[in-house]
């Protein structure tokens, strides 16, 4: 193998108000009757939206008794219509779908054109040709996931040790995957970033070097142009993985050093190395903290080890802490932790925790991450550890454990605003309700400003009207209830000034309707006594108005 080397709408309530209007557009599309299974329809957006939902305050949403989640699901699914399950979002007990992987037999990634390595080659031809060099895999496979935007991307790593021979090594070793004696992935292009070898994120011992695995197979290109595209991941199953290094044995000449194979299993949860005897653990992995920068999880309680380091945010001037749990047979054993700046491989912070099963951590002073992502590295894991997690997160929790509380906490809507006159009004109503149920003042303020709402209760600014804690007893709940538990009516229909008003009893057309009055009582907007007292003069409770385009025109209490 020796060769010469050559919408203007915003998504309010589930994601940051500044993000694109995925949720609102989905509501509107479903209400307008768009086919949920179409390639550009709402179903295609569900995967991205669900990832954003998971990143949002999960504890808060769980505390809503399922109301916000159920409402969002119903809104997205439309008026009684279920969207199909998405391939990358599996339900408990389901198998993952077939991969798009298609082996291109004989294909050679352009960075390996100096070699005899090709996709589909027999593993018996994958051998060491570099004089004096040898390489050994020396740790469990681990995932390195960048969950910074949709979709998240996971690459693979594994500790390896090298015995040096003739020449030098200036690029990382790679992970080469095979099954049934055939090479299915030749690893990523490490020649783009030559330099000093980096240490693995998980174990390996002194002198260990990180071997790099691609996020998608380089044997199933989507495009084979000068800049090929690789998007297909390997399907689920059992594989052999080899570490392959590319030392430069003479000026301009590279060769290969190939390790013995190790078994790796791929399933819906990632890639796994075989474990020793499974053990029990009292540790439960907590939900990610708001503002978390990175997190490492290791689970050795089953026959197959799961290890993953996830980047969720960027370093900043915010005071940070490292917190985690580690459990093993020796409560006095210590887990060393390093924080690494990936671009420079510089260690920017160190600490440790005991493997006694108790949550522990330390505040960090002067953490200089340069505004970049930060990797968590565990240089060595004590023998017998069954489960651990480590998190780099703000020293002061953002928003408390479950986010803000308000009058809508625990509110369970009776209906879905999915048929609210037009698709646009459905979309706006759905966004308002989700924001109100999530006690999200930022999202409500953003919606008001986006619609240029002209009339707010009391004439205050949106920040004043929706301030938390609430100046009134139940403003957030009333806002959610009026849009989900009462029916709307079009006022001045057919004219340029046509508006949609909730509840319908506020319009002259339904002023004498017993059913409409009963609706606002059942919604908790008025007591029966208040409703009886207001019949003569007209409804004096909370009301919401929109134009036919879905712009939020007014929110008021009173006539």
């Amino acid at each position: 193998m020796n060769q010469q080397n050559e919408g203007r709408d915003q998504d309010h309530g589930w994601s940051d108000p500044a993000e694109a209007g995925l949720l609102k557009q989905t509501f509107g599309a479903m209400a307008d009757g768009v086919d949920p299974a179409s390639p550009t329809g709402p179903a295609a957006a569900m995967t991205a939206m669900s990832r954003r939902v998971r990143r949002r305050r999960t504890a808060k949403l769980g505390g809503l008794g399922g109301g916000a989640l159920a409402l969002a699901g119903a809104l997205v699914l439309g008026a009684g219509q279920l969207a199909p399950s998405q391939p990358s979002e599996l339900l408990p007990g389901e198998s993952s779908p077939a991969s798009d992987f298609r082996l291109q037999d004989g294909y050679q990634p352009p960075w390996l054109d100096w070699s005899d390595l090709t996709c589909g080659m027999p593993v018996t031809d994958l051998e060491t040709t570099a004089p004096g060099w040898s390489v050994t895999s020396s740790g469990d496979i681990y995932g390195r996931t960048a969950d910074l935007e949709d979709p998240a991307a996971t690459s693979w790593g594994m500790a390896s040790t090298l015995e040096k021979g003739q020449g030098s090594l200036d690029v990382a070793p790679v992970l080469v995957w095979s099954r049934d004696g055939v090479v299915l992935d030749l690893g990523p292009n490490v020649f783009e970033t030559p330099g000093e070898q980096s240490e693995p994120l998980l174990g390996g011992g002194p002198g260990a070097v990180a071997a790099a695995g691609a996020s998608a197979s380089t044997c199933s290109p989507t495009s084979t142009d000068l800049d090929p595209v690789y998007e297909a991941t390997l399907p689920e199953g059992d594989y052999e993985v080899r570490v392959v290094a590319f030392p430069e044995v003479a000026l301009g000449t590279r060769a290969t050093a190939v390790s013995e194979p190790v078994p790796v299993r791929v399933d819906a949860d990632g890639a796994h190395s075989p474990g020793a005897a499974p053990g029990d653990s009292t540790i439960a992995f907590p939900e990610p903290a708001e503002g978390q920068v990175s997190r490492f999880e290791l689970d050795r309680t089953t026959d197959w080890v799961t290890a993953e380091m996830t980047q969720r945010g960027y370093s900043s001037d915010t005071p940070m802490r490292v917190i985690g749990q580690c459990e093993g047979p020796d409560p006095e054993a210590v887990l060393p932790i390093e924080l690494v700046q990936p671009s420079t491989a510089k260690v920017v912070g160190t600490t440790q925790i005991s493997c006694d099963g108790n949550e522990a951590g330390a505040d960090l002073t002067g953490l200089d991450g340069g505004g970049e992502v930060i990797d968590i590295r565990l240089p060595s894991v004590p023998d017998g550890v069954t489960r651990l997690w480590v998190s780099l997160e703000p020293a002061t929790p953002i928003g408390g454990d479950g986010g803000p509380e308000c009058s809508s906490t625990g509110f369970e809507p009776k209906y879905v605003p999915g048929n609210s006159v037009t698709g646009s009004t459905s979309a706006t109503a759905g966004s308002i309700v989700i924001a109100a149920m999530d006690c999200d003042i930022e999202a409500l303020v953003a919606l008001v400003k986006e619609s240029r709402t002209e009339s707010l209760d009391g004439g205050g600014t949106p920040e004043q009207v929706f301030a938390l804690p609430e100046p009134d007893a139940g403003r957030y709940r009333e806002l959610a209830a009026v849009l989900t538990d009462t029916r709307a009516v079009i006022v001045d229909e057919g004219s340029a000034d046509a508006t949609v008003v909730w509840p319908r009893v506020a319009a002259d057309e339904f002023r004498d309707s017993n059913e409409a009055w009963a609706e606002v009582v059942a919604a908790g907007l008025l007591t029966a006594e208040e409703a009886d007292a207001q019949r003569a003069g007209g409804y004096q409770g909370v009301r919401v108005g929109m134009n036919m385009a879905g712009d939020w025109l007014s929110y008021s209490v009173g006539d």
Side-chain angles (χ1 to χ4, degrees):
M1 296 184 190
N2 294 6
Q3 301 289 334
Q4 293 301 306
N5 181 16
E6 312 168 333
R8 78 176 182 90
D9 288 334
Q10 303 285 329
D11 177 4
H12 299 299
W14 291 88
S15 60
D16 188 277
E19 291 186 291
L22 175 62
L23 185 68
K24 188 172 178 182
Q25 292 165 15
T26 303
F27 295 166
M30 288 303 300
D32 285 339
V34 173
D35 178 6
S38 68
T40 58
M46 282 295 291
T47 298
M49 184 167 67
S50 63
R51 287 197 189 98
R52 296 181 187 179
V53 169
R54 287 196 295 271
R55 282 204 299 268
R56 195 161 168 79
R57 293 182 294 268
T58 308
K60 171 68 173 85
L61 291 174
L64 290 173
L69 290 171
L71 174 66
L75 283 164
V76 172
L77 299 179
Q81 183 177 20
L82 294 179
S85 300
Q86 296 307 297
S88 59
E89 298 297 325
L90 300 177
L91 298 175
E94 286 188 339
S95 298
S96 70
S99 168
D100 293 331
F101 175 82
R102 298 290 184 272
L103 174 65
Q104 188 165 329
D105 195 13
Y107 172 76
Q108 184 179 63
W111 58 87
L112 294 175
D113 59 0
W114 54 270
S115 74
D116 294 332
L117 301 176
T118 60
C119 297
M121 67 183 291
V123 293
T124 52
D125 293 343
L126 192 61
E127 55 189 6
T128 296
T129 61
W133 285 82
S134 66
V135 60
T136 305
S137 61
S138 56
D140 297 326
I141 194 167
Y142 57 85
R144 184 172 183 266
T145 298
D147 193 11
L148 303 167
E149 58 184 24
D150 293 317
T154 299
S155 57
W156 307 107
M158 182 183 290
S160 66
T161 53
L162 294 162
E163 289 290 337
K164 295 184 179 181
Q166 178 181 322
S168 61
L169 182 66
D170 63 349
V171 294
V174 300
L175 300 179
V176 173
W177 298 64
S178 64
R179 185 160 66 179
D180 299 329
V182 174
V183 171
L184 302 179
D185 180 13
L186 286 168
N189 183 5
V190 292
F191 299 96
E192 289 182 318
T193 55
E196 187 176 347
Q197 305 306 299
S198 61
E199 297 180 35
L201 297 182
L202 180 63
V209 172
S215 58
S217 171
T218 51
C219 285
S220 182
T222 304
S223 165
T224 56
D225 296 335
L226 292 177
D227 188 15
V229 176
Y230 307 100
E231 297 177 331
T233 58
L234 291 172
E236 292 185 14
D238 292 335
Y239 295 84
E240 287 185 338
V241 172
R242 292 167 173 83
V243 178
V244 178
F246 307 112
E248 189 173 33
V249 295
L251 184 61
T253 302
R254 291 192 184 273
T256 56
V258 182
S259 76
E260 292 296 317
V262 294
V264 172
R265 173 168 292 179
V266 174
D267 62 19
D269 295 323
H272 315 272
S273 296
D280 294 329
S281 176
T282 61
I283 292 177
F285 294 128
E287 295 293 340
E290 186 86 358
Q292 186 178 78
V293 174
S294 51
R295 173 173 171 140
F296 204 119
E297 292 183 357
L298 174 64
D299 188 353
R300 290 176 171 164
T301 60
T302 68
D303 291 327
W304 293 90
V305 177
T306 300
E308 183 175 21
M309 201 287 302
T310 304
Q311 301 165 342
R312 299 186 185 278
Y314 297 90
S315 58
S316 66
D317 295 334
T318 302
M320 305 296 289
R321 68 176 179 177
V322 172
I323 189 169
Q325 286 177 280
C326 175
E327 187 172 34
D330 182 2
E332 296 184 0
V334 170
L335 176 72
I337 301 165
E338 296 178 348
L339 306 178
V340 182
Q341 186 181 52
S343 64
T344 63
K346 177 184 176 183
V347 177
V348 295
T350 61
T351 187
Q352 63 183 31
I353 61 174
S354 296
C355 290
D356 56 6
N358 295 318
E359 186 175 297
D363 290 349
L364 302 174
T365 56
L367 177 66
D368 182 14
E372 300 182 23
V373 294
I374 298 292
D375 284 343
I376 296 174
R377 184 163 69 203
L378 308 179
S380 62
V381 177
D383 292 340
V385 165
T386 52
R387 186 175 285 172
L388 67 83
W389 63 270
V390 177
S391 172
L392 175 62
E393 60 190 50
T396 301
I398 297 175
D401 292 337
E405 298 291 320
C406 67
S407 58
S408 66
T409 300
F411 173 71
E412 298 287 346
K414 291 185 177 69
Y415 308 106
V416 172
N419 290 326
S420 301
V421 184
T422 71
S424 297
T425 56
S426 292
T428 302
S431 295
I432 294 171
V433 171
I434 293 295
M437 290 178 63
D438 201 20
C439 308
D440 194 336
I441 181 175
E442 293 181 1
L444 287 172
V445 168
L447 271 168
V448 167
K449 291 181 177 179
E450 178 191 14
S451 291
R452 297 179 176 86
T453 306
E454 298 175 356
S455 176
L456 287 175
D457 185 49
T461 66
E463 290 83 1
Q464 292 170 331
V465 171
F466 298 113
L468 291 173
E470 295 163 271
D472 297 330
R475 181 160 289 183
Y476 278 68
R477 186 199 176 282
E478 288 179 344
L479 186 57
V482 74
L483 292 171
T484 61
D485 292 7
T486 74
R487 298 182 186 181
V489 63
I490 301 177
V491 177
D492 296 330
E493 186 173 5
S495 73
D497 296 326
T499 57
V500 182
V501 175
W502 288 262
R504 57 180 176 162
V505 74
D508 288 342
E509 179 183 354
F510 290 94
R511 179 171 178 170
D512 296 323
S513 167
N514 291 333
E515 185 182 28
W517 281 103
E519 215 169 65
V520 294
V521 172
L525 302 176
L526 295 178
T527 65
E529 292 76 14
E530 288 171 335
D532 288 340
Q534 291 180 18
R535 274 179 177 265
Y539 175 72
Q540 299 294 310
V542 62
R543 67 186 72 194
V544 170
M546 297 181 197
N547 62 22
M548 300 299 286
D551 294 319
W552 186 7
L553 301 179
S554 63
Y555 161 71
S556 61
V557 178
D559 191 0

